[in-house]
Amino acid sequence: MIKIAPSILSANFADIGGAVARLESWGADWVHFDVMDGNFVPNITFGPAMCAAVRPLTQLPLDVHLMTLDPEKWVHPFRDAGADIITIHVEADRHLHRTLQKIHDAGAKAGVVLNPATPVSSCEHVLADCDLVLIMSVNPGFGGQKFIPEAVEKIARLRKLAAEHNPELLIEVDGGINPETSALCRAAGATVIVAGNAVFTADDPQDMIARIRGDSF
Ligand code: DX5
Ligand code: ZN
């Protein structure tokens, strides 16, 4: 089962609540919530207060992608704000096991994120502690960037490693997704597809989500 997680980074920030409220009727599965701190990535977005504000507007799980230094500091604030899934970058955290444990102890699903230049092997020894791994297919910081094709091979490698360490692992991909790049990622083993620009600039977002999911008509 493929899950689609639209990124509200590409929504109109003057109407974030409206965007979140519409996602369910568009057929989305998760809400992808991009948190940027202006240090780990060269952009700033929103924090726990925004997460708490949109939480009552949807039944969908909130998938919080922490693009921050010292992500362990933000686990409790986002969990308290209603995050269901929290992912942390391997490049930003010195003690991955401890932070993953902290996320699980707080009652959320936990995962790690790999930047495009970070090898899949960097998460091998935490795979058993992860519910999901997010493979970045752009350098994080902005929506609307071009898909980096090496991500497809990384997904395939990760799917093989997961067969050994954690067969239930969800593999999420994020950045430059459209129906074509989604098909490549799904064929390689991705099960959760993030899409920002493609969904929020579409004339018919519901149809776009179906096409990214690979539904045939
Ligand atoms: C990038 C973010 C992505 C981004 C995806 O830093 O993590 O979630 O918003 O946007 P598109 O689909 O426009 O590349
Ligand atoms: Zn993201």
Side-chain angles (χ1 to χ4, degrees), residues 40-90:
F40 180 65
V41 289
N43 198 2
I44 296 176
T45 55
F46 29 65
M50 177 72 89
C51 188
V54 302
R55 176 66 285 182
L57 305 178
T58 182
Q59 303 282 331
L60 299 178
L62 291 183
D63 170 30
V64 172
H65 174 191
L66 289 179
M67 286 164 274
T68 72
L69 296 178
D70 303 323
E72 79 281 357
K73 285 199 291 206
W74 297 107
V75 170
H76 286 293
F78 277 100
R79 178 60 182 153
D80 293 346
D84 300 283
I85 300 144
I86 299 176
T87 58
I88 54 171
H89 272 261
V90 301

Side-chain angles (χ1 to χ4, degrees), residues 158-198:
L158 178 58
R159 189 41 83 201
K160 279 200 192 122
L161 268 187
E164 192 183 326
H165 296 275
N166 180 358
E168 304 289 294
L169 185 80
L170 299 175
I171 300 182
E172 186 173 22
V173 60
D174 182 5
I177 292 291
N178 56 38
E180 291 72 36
T181 54
S182 170
L184 299 172
C185 294
R186 287 184 281 107
T191 47
V192 184
I193 314 289
V194 177
N197 235 46

